[in-house]
């Protein structure tokens, strides 16, 4: 398996051997009395369902990104990879809790992109903000390209499945029909439903 | 020369549209924070991408900062040193302690227990 806690050296964390058994800690129901290891230098004493330090990103992905960042011939020690894996989870939680706090302050329930960017610059990662904005822009453009319906597509799809989306898209002024005749006037009302067999409305 | 190549590589990954981390896992980690209800799609993508940048940043800083330049490899202690010295990475000090020998740790543990007994 990938880097589970069982392969991580947890000795410095003051955690007993029991903690090292098994890979996942879903639904950890613990009594207060037995929570001895939670009292050690653990910043987050929360007893939520998921102990956040147990959820990691796959070590292969993390290692690949590290390898690409470090010069070609550089090697990376295994415990370094595992360590970065844990750091990453910590980073995500760090950003998220800061963004979440701001959300609460502004009485909003959904964390949006702005919150994340703001959290980053607050926490000292403002050097990421500009590249991230660029990335988001590029990503949005890519999404638009895939989802958008072009005018040609609307015309071609007229006889087939028309969804509500089609009517909200931009319609061409004219439409080339199957027999090549151009219809100059095309009117769609909100009540227009696709009637089987009817491909266009004709105005005499 | 090689530095420019490194920068280019980082830039490429920064500007590429592809993400090399599983978004669902990132969402899971985000949701494990207390009081988090809904996460916007944009926020999720930004966090995932930021995480990539973070890994690159941490790896590169540790590599350049540490003694690894001679050995051409990145070790745990390089990371621990960088985290201690760089302000931006200070939030990681708790989970990245410097490693000590087991016997030293056991000694410390014994002393702690003695203190508890005395209380």
């Amino acid at each position: 398996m990938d880097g589970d806690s069982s392969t991580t050296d947890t000795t410095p964390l003051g955690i007993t051997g029991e903690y090292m058994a098994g890979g996942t800690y879903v639904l950890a129901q613990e009594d207060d009395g037995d929570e001895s290891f939670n009292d050690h230098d653990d910043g987050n004493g929360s007893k939520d369902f998921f102990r956040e330090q147990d959820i990691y990103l796959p070590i292969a992905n993390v290692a690949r990104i590290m390898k690409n960042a470090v010069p070609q011939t550089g090697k990376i020690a295994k415990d370094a990879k595992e360590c970065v894996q844990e750091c990453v989870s910590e980073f995500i939680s760090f950003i998220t809790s800061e963004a979440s706090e701001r959300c609460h302050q502004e009485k909003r329930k959904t964390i949006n992109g702005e919150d994340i960017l703001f959290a980053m610059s607050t926490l000292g990662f403002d050097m990421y903000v500009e590249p991230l904005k660029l990335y988001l822009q590029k990503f949005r453009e890519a999404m638009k390209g895939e989802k958008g319906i072009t005018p040609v597509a609307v015309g071609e799809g007229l006889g087939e499945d028309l969804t509500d989306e089609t009517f909200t898209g931009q319609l061409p002024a004219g439409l080339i029909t199957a027999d090549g005749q151009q219809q100059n006037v095309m009117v769609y009302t909100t009540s227009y439903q696709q009637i089987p067999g009817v491909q266009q409305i004709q105005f005499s | 020369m090689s530095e420019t190549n490194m920068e280019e590589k980082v830039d490429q990954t920064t500007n590429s549209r592809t993400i090399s981390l599983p978004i669902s896992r990132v969402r899971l980690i985000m949701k494990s924070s207390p009081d988090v209800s809904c996460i916007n799609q944009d926020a999720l993508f930004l966090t995932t991408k930021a995480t990539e940048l973070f890994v690159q940043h941490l790896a590169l800083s540790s590599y350049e900062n540490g003694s690894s330049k001679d050995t051409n490899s990145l070790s745990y202690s390089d990371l621990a040193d960088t985290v201690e010295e760089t302000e931006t990475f200070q939030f990681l000090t708790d989970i990245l302690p410097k490693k000590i020998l087991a016997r030293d740790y056991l000694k410390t543990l014994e002393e702690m227990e003695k203190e508890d007994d005395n209380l």
Side-chain angles (χ1 to χ4, degrees):
Chain A
M1 275 298 283
D2 56 2
D4 290 339
S5 330
S6 51
T7 57
T8 306
D9 178 28
T10 54
T11 321
L13 297 174
I15 295 171
T16 67
E18 284 169 8
Y19 180 73
M20 292 177 70
T24 53
Y25 302 91
V26 178
L27 306 179
Q29 295 287 313
E30 293 139 348
D31 288 333
D32 283 25
D34 296 333
E35 272 298 86
S36 53
F37 57 78
N38 228 11
D39 293 335
H40 286 308
D41 63 337
D42 188 343
N44 29 301
S46 61
K47 299 183 178 68
D48 296 322
F49 258 158
F50 292 107
R51 289 173 52 86
E52 55 194 49
Q53 50 263 51
D54 298 325
I55 307 173
Y56 304 132
L57 293 178
I59 196 166
N61 301 50
V62 172
R64 198 185 317 132
I65 301 174
M66 287 176 78
K67 238 187 158 63
N68 288 337
V70 157
Q72 279 290 337
T73 51
K75 285 190 207 145
I76 306 170
K78 182 161 191 249
D79 55 358
K81 291 182 198 173
E82 289 167 356
C83 164
V84 171
Q85 203 186 11
E86 291 173 29
C87 291
V88 157
S89 293
E90 188 70 24
F91 171 76
I92 295 174
S93 302
F94 195 40
I95 298 286
T96 307
S97 58
E98 183 67 30
S100 169
E101 207 179 292
R102 181 161 187 249
C103 249
H104 276 280
Q105 276 175 8
E106 301 189 354
K107 307 268 165 80
R108 280 182 288 116
K109 284 194 179 160
T110 309
I111 301 178
N112 61 27
E114 280 302 309
D115 296 323
I116 298 287
L117 290 175
F118 186 81
M120 277 196 226
S121 77
T122 308
L123 296 171
F125 294 101
D126 46 339
M127 70 290 259
Y128 297 174
V129 171
E130 285 311 314
L132 285 175
K133 282 186 185 166
L134 273 172
Y135 164 71
L136 187 64
Q137 201 178 40
K138 286 193 172 180
F139 188 82
R140 278 180 176 158
E141 284 168 19
M143 290 303 282
K144 236 187 260 175
E146 286 167 27
K147 276 188 177 176
I149 299 168
T150 63
V152 176
V154 171
E156 286 170 9
L158 208 51
E160 316 288 315
D161 338 344
L162 273 179
T163 65
D164 285 342
E165 273 195 294
T166 319
F167 297 104
T168 58
Q170 266 195 327
L171 296 169
L175 202 70
I176 312 275
T177 62
D179 61 358
Q181 304 256 315
Q182 187 167 14
Q183 303 292 320
N184 287 323
V185 182
M186 192 66 64
V187 173
Y188 290 94
T189 65
T190 50
S191 60
Y192 176 78
Q193 294 296 321
Q194 174 60 13
I195 302 164
V198 176
Q199 287 211 314
Q200 70 264 10
I201 299 170
Q202 289 205 341
F203 286 84
S204 52
Chain B
M1 284 294 182
S2 61
E3 249 186 58
T4 328
N5 281 342
M6 273 195 296
E7 280 170 0
E8 273 175 5
K9 270 204 161 170
V10 172
D11 276 339
Q12 273 173 13
T13 329
T14 308
N15 294 328
S16 73
R17 279 183 258 138
T18 56
I19 314 175
S20 41
L21 296 169
I23 300 174
S24 51
R25 195 75 71 88
V26 174
R27 184 193 274 121
L28 203 63
I29 300 174
M30 290 177 87
K31 288 220 140 187
S32 71
S33 274
D35 298 330
V36 168
S37 43
C38 296
I39 304 167
N40 185 358
Q41 192 77 325
D42 281 351
L44 193 56
F45 284 128
L46 282 175
T47 308
T48 310
K49 197 66 185 176
T51 309
E52 262 187 54
L53 296 179
F54 173 75
V55 172
Q56 289 168 350
H57 187 187
L58 182 58
L60 203 54
S61 293
S62 304
Y63 183 82
E64 288 176 343
N65 190 27
S67 58
S68 50
K69 266 188 167 168
D70 308 318
T71 59
N72 206 20
S73 70
L74 187 64
S75 66
Y76 176 91
S77 52
D78 293 329
L79 290 168
D81 289 339
T82 304
V83 159
E84 202 179 319
E85 292 162 22
T86 314
E87 204 180 312
T88 321
F89 297 137
Q90 292 280 301
F91 72 100
L92 294 168
T93 44
D94 278 345
I95 65 169
L96 250 179
K98 303 215 175 185
K99 284 189 175 174
I100 59 175
L101 290 171
R103 76 172 101 95
D104 291 340
Y105 173 72
L106 289 170
K107 220 193 290 179
T108 320
L109 201 58
E110 275 176 27
E111 286 166 15
M112 278 170 64
E113 282 172 0
K114 274 189 200 156
E115 280 177 32
D116 284 346
D117 288 339
N118 289 338
L119 292 173

